[in-house]
Amino acid sequence: MFGIVRPCRHRLGESLTSQWMAHLCGLCLALRKDHGQFARIVTNYDGLLISVLTEAQAGVRGGRGAGRRTAGPCPLRGMRTASVAHGEGARLAAAVSLVLASAKVRDHVADGDGLLARRPVALAARRVAAGWDAAGARSGSAVGFDTAVLVDAVDRQTGIEALAGPGTPLLTVTEPTETATAAAFAHTAHLAGRPHNAAPLAEAGRLFGRLAHLLDAVEDREADAAAGAWNPLTATGTPLTEARRLADDAVHGVRLALREAEFTDGRLVHRLLVHELGNSVDRAFGTASRAHGSHPYTPPGTTPGAPGGPGAPMPPEPPRRDRRGLLAGCAVWLGLACTCQLCCGTYHDPWSGERKQGPCANCDCSSCGDCCECCECCSNCGDGCCCDGCGCDC
C-alpha cells in the first residue's frame, strides 16, 4: 500500500477512520470486480484520494459518482461485513491506481532494483505493467477519463530524467507527475456534477503530484546513492533545504486551492490533504516532533504526575482470572490468524482477552500528538476546523 498520505487512526478519529476505510475497501473491491483478484495488489493510499474527493463533492448518495454498499465478509476485516464506497469515483480511483502501479514497476525495472535486475524478471514485470496500463485505460474510459494523460506523463518522465543534470530546475523533473495528478483530481469534479470545481482541484492535484515526487525523492535519496540509482535531488544538485521549501509551498498551495472548491462534506478531504500532507512532509524530512502517546496531556492548572491527576501514571491492573488455557488459546489464535486479524485488524488476545491492534493495521503515529495538540493544529490552519474530526472531546 504505497502512498505519501498515510493517516493515523488516532488523528482521524472514529468517524473519519470509518470513512477512510470505506474508500480503501471500495478501491480494493473495484479493482477486483473490473480486473480480477490479482489487480487488488495495486490498492494504494494515494489512489483512494480520488474516491474521497468524488464523494466529498457528490455526497454519499451521489448517484453514479459516489455511493455506499454493504460488502461481504473479508479476511482483512476479520471476516466482517462493512459499508464501502462504490460508483464512478471508486472506478476512477481503480484506473488511476493501476497506472500508478504500472509507473512504479517501470521505475523499478529502469533502476534494476532487486530481482528486477535480472532480464527474465524484468521482461515479466514489463508485461504486467503493460497489462495494468491497458486495464487502467478500460476503467478510465468507462467513467469518461482518458488515462493517456497518465501514460504520457510516465513516458515523458524517462526522457526528462535522461536530460536532467546539475542546474536543471527540480520542477522541470516533477512536471509530468504534476500534470497527471492534476487531470485525475479535476475529473472528480465532473463525476460529482460540480464542473466549477475542476480548476481548483486541478491546482490541488498539480501540487499534490509535486509533493508525491519530491517526498519520494527525499525518502529514497540515501538508498539511491548507495545503489547508484538516479535520484532527482542528486541529479539536479538540489539541496534538501530547497526541496523542503518547495514541499512546504506545495502544502500551502493545496490548502488554498481546496478553499476555492465546493464540497458537500469536506472533512475527510481537509484532514487528508491539509493536515496529513503536512505530516507526510515532516515524516519524509525527519522533523516529526514526537510519537503518539510519548507524553501525557496535562490540562491547565493540573500538575503532571500529581496523585490522582490526569498526568499521574495509571495503577497496575489486577491479575486477570479469566485467562484461557494453552489449548483453548491456541485454537482462538488459529482462528484469528486465518482471518488476518492478528496482522491487519484489532482483536482480543487469545489468552488474556486484552484488546490489541495488529502490526499492519492502518496507523502511522510518527507525528501524532495528544488531544490538545490536535485541536491547536486545527485552529491554526486558518480554515476554522478546530476539533472537526480530530477524535477528541475538548
Side-chain angles (χ1 to χ4, degrees), residues 260-312:
E260 301 299 319
E262 187 178 325
F263 296 104
T264 299
D265 182 355
R267 290 178 301 157
L268 184 57
V269 168
H270 182 83
R271 169 57 63 179
L272 298 178
L273 290 179
V274 174
H275 298 294
E276 291 301 329
L277 271 188
N279 290 328
S280 298
V281 172
D282 287 340
R283 181 174 60 244
F285 285 90
T287 55
S289 59
R290 57 182 178 270
H292 176 75
S294 59
H295 71 286
Y297 165 56
T298 305
T302 303
T303 303

Short mmCIF file of all heavy atoms in Angstrom, two decimals, residues 260-312:
data_model
loop_
_atom_site.label_atom_id
_atom_site.label_comp_id
_atom_site.label_asym_id
_atom_site.label_seq_id
_atom_site.Cartn_x
_atom_site.Cartn_y
_atom_site.Cartn_z
N GLU A 260 -11.12 27.04 -2.56
CA GLU A 260 -11.89 27.52 -3.71
C GLU A 260 -12.88 26.48 -4.22
O GLU A 260 -13.72 26.79 -5.07
CB GLU A 260 -10.92 27.90 -4.85
CG GLU A 260 -9.91 28.97 -4.50
CD GLU A 260 -10.58 30.28 -4.10
OE1 GLU A 260 -11.56 30.66 -4.77
OE2 GLU A 260 -10.13 30.91 -3.12
N ALA A 261 -12.78 25.26 -3.74
CA ALA A 261 -13.68 24.19 -4.19
C ALA A 261 -14.87 24.09 -3.25
O ALA A 261 -14.81 24.45 -2.08
CB ALA A 261 -12.93 22.87 -4.25
N GLU A 262 -15.96 23.56 -3.79
CA GLU A 262 -17.21 23.43 -3.03
C GLU A 262 -17.46 21.95 -2.73
O GLU A 262 -17.46 21.11 -3.64
CB GLU A 262 -18.36 24.00 -3.86
CG GLU A 262 -19.68 24.09 -3.13
CD GLU A 262 -20.75 24.73 -4.01
OE1 GLU A 262 -20.41 25.63 -4.81
OE2 GLU A 262 -21.91 24.31 -3.90
N PHE A 263 -17.67 21.62 -1.45
CA PHE A 263 -17.86 20.23 -1.04
C PHE A 263 -19.17 20.07 -0.28
O PHE A 263 -19.60 20.98 0.44
CB PHE A 263 -16.72 19.77 -0.13
CG PHE A 263 -15.37 19.76 -0.79
CD1 PHE A 263 -14.44 20.76 -0.52
CD2 PHE A 263 -15.03 18.77 -1.69
CE1 PHE A 263 -13.20 20.77 -1.14
CE2 PHE A 263 -13.79 18.76 -2.30
CZ PHE A 263 -12.86 19.76 -2.03
N THR A 264 -19.77 18.91 -0.44
CA THR A 264 -20.93 18.56 0.37
C THR A 264 -20.49 18.25 1.80
O THR A 264 -21.12 18.68 2.77
CB THR A 264 -21.66 17.34 -0.22
OG1 THR A 264 -22.12 17.67 -1.54
CG2 THR A 264 -22.84 16.93 0.64
N ASP A 265 -19.42 17.49 1.92
CA ASP A 265 -18.82 17.18 3.22
C ASP A 265 -17.31 17.06 3.00
O ASP A 265 -16.84 16.04 2.51
CB ASP A 265 -19.38 15.88 3.79
CG ASP A 265 -18.81 15.54 5.18
OD1 ASP A 265 -17.91 16.27 5.65
OD2 ASP A 265 -19.26 14.54 5.79
N GLY A 266 -16.58 18.11 3.33
CA GLY A 266 -15.15 18.14 3.04
C GLY A 266 -14.25 17.80 4.21
O GLY A 266 -13.05 18.05 4.15
N ARG A 267 -14.81 17.21 5.29
CA ARG A 267 -13.99 16.97 6.48
C ARG A 267 -12.83 16.01 6.21
O ARG A 267 -11.69 16.28 6.59
CB ARG A 267 -14.85 16.41 7.61
CG ARG A 267 -15.83 17.41 8.22
CD ARG A 267 -16.67 16.74 9.28
NE ARG A 267 -17.41 15.61 8.70
CZ ARG A 267 -17.86 14.58 9.41
NH1 ARG A 267 -17.64 14.52 10.72
NH2 ARG A 267 -18.54 13.61 8.82
N LEU A 268 -13.12 14.89 5.54
CA LEU A 268 -12.05 13.91 5.30
C LEU A 268 -11.04 14.46 4.30
O LEU A 268 -9.83 14.27 4.47
CB LEU A 268 -12.65 12.60 4.79
CG LEU A 268 -11.64 11.45 4.59
CD1 LEU A 268 -10.88 11.16 5.87
CD2 LEU A 268 -12.35 10.20 4.07
N VAL A 269 -11.51 15.15 3.28
CA VAL A 269 -10.60 15.78 2.31
C VAL A 269 -9.68 16.76 3.03
O VAL A 269 -8.46 16.77 2.81
CB VAL A 269 -11.39 16.52 1.21
CG1 VAL A 269 -10.46 17.41 0.39
CG2 VAL A 269 -12.07 15.52 0.30
N HIS A 270 -10.25 17.58 3.91
CA HIS A 270 -9.44 18.57 4.62
C HIS A 270 -8.40 17.89 5.51
O HIS A 270 -7.24 18.29 5.55
CB HIS A 270 -10.34 19.46 5.47
CG HIS A 270 -9.62 20.54 6.20
ND1 HIS A 270 -9.28 21.74 5.62
CD2 HIS A 270 -9.12 20.59 7.47
CE1 HIS A 270 -8.63 22.49 6.50
NE2 HIS A 270 -8.51 21.81 7.62
N ARG A 271 -8.83 16.86 6.22
CA ARG A 271 -7.90 16.16 7.11
C ARG A 271 -6.76 15.54 6.32
O ARG A 271 -5.59 15.63 6.72
CB ARG A 271 -8.68 15.08 7.90
CG ARG A 271 -7.81 14.11 8.67
CD ARG A 271 -6.88 14.78 9.64
NE ARG A 271 -7.58 15.49 10.70
CZ ARG A 271 -6.96 16.12 11.67
NH1 ARG A 271 -5.64 16.16 11.73
NH2 ARG A 271 -7.64 16.77 12.59
N LEU A 272 -7.07 14.93 5.17
CA LEU A 272 -6.04 14.22 4.41
C LEU A 272 -5.15 15.17 3.63
O LEU A 272 -3.93 15.02 3.62
CB LEU A 272 -6.70 13.22 3.45
CG LEU A 272 -7.52 12.09 4.09
CD1 LEU A 272 -8.14 11.23 3.00
CD2 LEU A 272 -6.66 11.25 5.01
N LEU A 273 -5.75 16.15 2.94
CA LEU A 273 -4.99 16.98 2.02
C LEU A 273 -4.51 18.30 2.62
O LEU A 273 -3.82 19.06 1.94
CB LEU A 273 -5.82 17.27 0.76
CG LEU A 273 -6.04 16.06 -0.14
CD1 LEU A 273 -6.90 16.44 -1.34
CD2 LEU A 273 -4.71 15.48 -0.61
N VAL A 274 -4.84 18.55 3.87
CA VAL A 274 -4.27 19.72 4.56
C VAL A 274 -3.37 19.24 5.69
O VAL A 274 -2.16 19.42 5.66
CB VAL A 274 -5.38 20.66 5.08
CG1 VAL A 274 -4.77 21.78 5.92
CG2 VAL A 274 -6.16 21.25 3.91
N HIS A 275 -3.96 18.57 6.67
CA HIS A 275 -3.17 18.18 7.84
C HIS A 275 -2.24 17.00 7.56
O HIS A 275 -1.06 17.03 7.94
CB HIS A 275 -4.10 17.86 9.01
CG HIS A 275 -4.92 19.03 9.44
ND1 HIS A 275 -4.37 20.16 10.00
CD2 HIS A 275 -6.25 19.27 9.35
CE1 HIS A 275 -5.32 21.03 10.26
NE2 HIS A 275 -6.47 20.53 9.87
N GLU A 276 -2.76 15.95 6.91
CA GLU A 276 -1.91 14.77 6.71
C GLU A 276 -0.79 15.02 5.70
O GLU A 276 0.26 14.40 5.79
CB GLU A 276 -2.76 13.58 6.28
CG GLU A 276 -3.67 13.04 7.36
CD GLU A 276 -2.93 12.60 8.61
OE1 GLU A 276 -1.76 12.16 8.49
OE2 GLU A 276 -3.50 12.70 9.71
N LEU A 277 -1.00 15.91 4.74
CA LEU A 277 0.09 16.24 3.83
C LEU A 277 1.24 16.89 4.59
O LEU A 277 2.41 16.60 4.34
CB LEU A 277 -0.40 17.20 2.73
CG LEU A 277 -0.96 16.56 1.46
CD1 LEU A 277 -1.21 17.64 0.41
CD2 LEU A 277 -0.03 15.50 0.90
N GLY A 278 0.91 17.78 5.53
CA GLY A 278 1.95 18.37 6.35
C GLY A 278 2.69 17.33 7.17
O GLY A 278 3.93 17.38 7.31
N ASN A 279 1.96 16.35 7.71
CA ASN A 279 2.60 15.27 8.45
C ASN A 279 3.50 14.44 7.55
O ASN A 279 4.55 13.96 7.97
CB ASN A 279 1.54 14.37 9.09
CG ASN A 279 0.81 15.05 10.24
OD1 ASN A 279 1.39 15.87 10.93
ND2 ASN A 279 -0.46 14.73 10.43
N SER A 280 3.09 14.25 6.30
CA SER A 280 3.90 13.49 5.35
C SER A 280 5.23 14.19 5.07
O SER A 280 6.27 13.56 4.96
CB SER A 280 3.13 13.30 4.03
OG SER A 280 1.94 12.57 4.23
N VAL A 281 5.16 15.51 4.95
CA VAL A 281 6.39 16.29 4.73
C VAL A 281 7.31 16.16 5.94
O VAL A 281 8.52 15.92 5.80
CB VAL A 281 6.04 17.76 4.45
CG1 VAL A 281 7.32 18.61 4.42
CG2 VAL A 281 5.31 17.90 3.13
N ASP A 282 6.75 16.31 7.13
CA ASP A 282 7.57 16.17 8.35
C ASP A 282 8.20 14.78 8.43
O ASP A 282 9.36 14.64 8.80
CB ASP A 282 6.71 16.41 9.59
CG ASP A 282 6.36 17.87 9.78
OD1 ASP A 282 7.06 18.72 9.20
OD2 ASP A 282 5.38 18.16 10.51
N ARG A 283 7.42 13.76 8.08
CA ARG A 283 7.93 12.39 8.15
C ARG A 283 9.08 12.20 7.16
O ARG A 283 10.11 11.62 7.49
CB ARG A 283 6.80 11.41 7.86
CG ARG A 283 7.22 9.95 7.93
CD ARG A 283 6.02 9.02 7.78
NE ARG A 283 5.33 9.22 6.51
CZ ARG A 283 4.09 9.65 6.40
NH1 ARG A 283 3.38 9.94 7.47
NH2 ARG A 283 3.53 9.80 5.20
N ALA A 284 8.92 12.69 5.95
CA ALA A 284 9.95 12.49 4.92
C ALA A 284 11.24 13.22 5.27
O ALA A 284 12.33 12.70 5.03
CB ALA A 284 9.42 12.97 3.57
N PHE A 285 11.11 14.41 5.84
CA PHE A 285 12.30 15.19 6.17
C PHE A 285 12.79 14.94 7.59
O PHE A 285 13.73 15.59 8.06
CB PHE A 285 12.03 16.69 5.98
CG PHE A 285 11.98 17.11 4.54
CD1 PHE A 285 10.79 17.09 3.83
CD2 PHE A 285 13.14 17.51 3.88
CE1 PHE A 285 10.74 17.47 2.50
CE2 PHE A 285 13.10 17.90 2.55
CZ PHE A 285 11.90 17.87 1.85
N GLY A 286 12.14 14.03 8.30
CA GLY A 286 12.59 13.66 9.63
C GLY A 286 12.39 14.72 10.67
O GLY A 286 13.18 14.83 11.61
N THR A 287 11.32 15.52 10.54
CA THR A 287 11.10 16.60 11.50
C THR A 287 9.87 16.37 12.36
O THR A 287 9.39 17.29 13.00
CB THR A 287 10.95 17.95 10.78
OG1 THR A 287 9.90 17.85 9.81
CG2 THR A 287 12.24 18.33 10.09
N ALA A 288 9.32 15.16 12.35
CA ALA A 288 8.18 14.88 13.23
C ALA A 288 8.63 15.07 14.67
O ALA A 288 9.69 14.60 15.08
CB ALA A 288 7.67 13.46 13.01
N SER A 289 7.80 15.74 15.44
CA SER A 289 8.22 16.15 16.79
C SER A 289 8.28 14.99 17.77
O SER A 289 9.20 14.88 18.55
CB SER A 289 7.27 17.23 17.32
OG SER A 289 5.93 16.75 17.35
N ARG A 290 7.27 14.12 17.75
CA ARG A 290 7.25 13.03 18.71
C ARG A 290 6.20 12.02 18.29
O ARG A 290 5.31 12.32 17.53
CB ARG A 290 6.94 13.54 20.11
CG ARG A 290 5.62 14.31 20.21
CD ARG A 290 5.41 14.82 21.61
NE ARG A 290 4.19 15.59 21.69
CZ ARG A 290 4.11 16.89 21.48
NH1 ARG A 290 5.19 17.57 21.16
NH2 ARG A 290 2.97 17.54 21.59
N ALA A 291 6.31 10.84 18.83
CA ALA A 291 5.34 9.80 18.52
C ALA A 291 4.11 9.96 19.39
O ALA A 291 4.12 10.60 20.42
CB ALA A 291 5.97 8.42 18.76
N HIS A 292 3.03 9.34 18.92
CA HIS A 292 1.77 9.40 19.67
C HIS A 292 1.94 8.80 21.05
O HIS A 292 2.53 7.75 21.23
CB HIS A 292 0.70 8.61 18.90
CG HIS A 292 -0.59 8.53 19.63
ND1 HIS A 292 -1.45 9.58 19.73
CD2 HIS A 292 -1.16 7.50 20.30
CE1 HIS A 292 -2.51 9.21 20.42
NE2 HIS A 292 -2.36 7.96 20.78
N GLY A 293 1.44 9.50 22.03
CA GLY A 293 1.47 8.97 23.39
C GLY A 293 2.82 9.08 24.06
O GLY A 293 3.06 8.46 25.09
N SER A 294 3.77 9.87 23.52
CA SER A 294 5.08 9.96 24.13
C SER A 294 5.07 10.77 25.41
O SER A 294 5.99 10.70 26.20
CB SER A 294 6.08 10.58 23.14
OG SER A 294 5.64 11.87 22.76
N HIS A 295 4.02 11.58 25.61
CA HIS A 295 3.88 12.27 26.87
C HIS A 295 2.40 12.45 27.15
O HIS A 295 1.59 12.55 26.23
CB HIS A 295 4.59 13.63 26.82
CG HIS A 295 3.89 14.63 25.95
ND1 HIS A 295 3.94 14.57 24.58
CD2 HIS A 295 3.12 15.70 26.27
CE1 HIS A 295 3.25 15.58 24.07
NE2 HIS A 295 2.73 16.26 25.06
N PRO A 296 2.01 12.49 28.41
CA PRO A 296 0.58 12.62 28.72
C PRO A 296 0.10 14.04 28.55
O PRO A 296 0.87 14.99 28.67
CB PRO A 296 0.51 12.18 30.19
CG PRO A 296 1.86 12.53 30.75
CD PRO A 296 2.84 12.32 29.62
N TYR A 297 -1.17 14.18 28.24
CA TYR A 297 -1.79 15.50 28.16
C TYR A 297 -2.16 15.96 29.56
O TYR A 297 -2.84 15.26 30.30
CB TYR A 297 -3.04 15.44 27.28
CG TYR A 297 -3.93 16.65 27.42
CD1 TYR A 297 -3.43 17.93 27.20
CD2 TYR A 297 -5.27 16.50 27.76
CE1 TYR A 297 -4.24 19.03 27.31
CE2 TYR A 297 -6.08 17.61 27.88
CZ TYR A 297 -5.57 18.87 27.65
OH TYR A 297 -6.38 19.97 27.76
N THR A 298 -1.69 17.13 29.96
CA THR A 298 -1.98 17.67 31.28
C THR A 298 -2.76 18.97 31.11
O THR A 298 -2.23 19.96 30.59
CB THR A 298 -0.68 17.96 32.04
OG1 THR A 298 0.09 16.77 32.09
CG2 THR A 298 -1.00 18.44 33.45
N PRO A 299 -4.04 19.02 31.48
CA PRO A 299 -4.84 20.23 31.33
C PRO A 299 -4.26 21.37 32.15
O PRO A 299 -3.55 21.15 33.14
CB PRO A 299 -6.22 19.82 31.84
CG PRO A 299 -6.23 18.32 31.79
CD PRO A 299 -4.81 17.91 32.04
N PRO A 300 -4.59 22.64 31.78
CA PRO A 300 -4.12 23.78 32.57
C PRO A 300 -4.56 23.66 34.01
O PRO A 300 -5.69 23.24 34.32
CB PRO A 300 -4.81 24.97 31.86
CG PRO A 300 -5.09 24.49 30.48
CD PRO A 300 -5.36 23.02 30.61
N GLY A 301 -3.66 24.03 34.94
CA GLY A 301 -3.97 24.01 36.35
C GLY A 301 -3.76 22.66 37.00
O GLY A 301 -4.05 22.50 38.18
N THR A 302 -3.25 21.69 36.24
CA THR A 302 -3.01 20.36 36.79
C THR A 302 -1.53 20.09 36.81
O THR A 302 -0.83 20.35 35.83
CB THR A 302 -3.71 19.29 35.93
OG1 THR A 302 -5.10 19.60 35.87
CG2 THR A 302 -3.53 17.91 36.54
N THR A 303 -1.02 19.60 37.89
CA THR A 303 0.40 19.28 38.00
C THR A 303 0.67 17.90 37.43
O THR A 303 0.04 16.93 37.85
CB THR A 303 0.86 19.31 39.46
OG1 THR A 303 0.57 20.59 40.00
CG2 THR A 303 2.36 19.01 39.57
N PRO A 304 1.57 17.80 36.43
CA PRO A 304 1.86 16.49 35.87
C PRO A 304 2.34 15.54 36.96
O PRO A 304 3.19 15.88 37.79
CB PRO A 304 2.97 16.77 34.86
CG PRO A 304 2.83 18.22 34.53
CD PRO A 304 2.34 18.86 35.80
N GLY A 305 1.80 14.34 36.96
CA GLY A 305 2.25 13.32 37.89
C GLY A 305 1.66 13.46 39.27
O GLY A 305 2.01 12.70 40.17
N ALA A 306 0.78 14.45 39.48
CA ALA A 306 0.18 14.60 40.81
C ALA A 306 -0.71 13.42 41.12
O ALA A 306 -1.34 12.88 40.23
CB ALA A 306 -0.64 15.89 40.86
N PRO A 307 -0.77 13.00 42.39
CA PRO A 307 -1.59 11.84 42.75
C PRO A 307 -3.03 12.06 42.32
O PRO A 307 -3.66 13.06 42.68
CB PRO A 307 -1.46 11.76 44.28
CG PRO A 307 -0.17 12.47 44.58
CD PRO A 307 -0.04 13.54 43.55
N GLY A 308 -3.54 11.14 41.53
CA GLY A 308 -4.93 11.21 41.10
C GLY A 308 -5.15 12.14 39.94
O GLY A 308 -6.24 12.20 39.39
N GLY A 309 -4.13 12.94 39.54
CA GLY A 309 -4.29 13.87 38.44
C GLY A 309 -4.19 13.18 37.10
O GLY A 309 -3.72 12.06 37.00
N PRO A 310 -4.61 13.87 36.02
CA PRO A 310 -4.57 13.26 34.69
C PRO A 310 -3.17 12.88 34.25
O PRO A 310 -2.99 12.01 33.42
CB PRO A 310 -5.17 14.35 33.79
CG PRO A 310 -5.98 15.20 34.72
CD PRO A 310 -5.27 15.19 36.02
N GLY A 311 -2.15 13.56 34.79
CA GLY A 311 -0.79 13.23 34.38
C GLY A 311 -0.16 12.10 35.16
O GLY A 311 0.97 11.71 34.89
N ALA A 312 -0.88 11.58 36.17
CA ALA A 312 -0.31 10.53 37.00
C ALA A 312 -0.34 9.19 36.29
O ALA A 312 -1.24 8.93 35.51
CB ALA A 312 -1.11 10.43 38.31
#
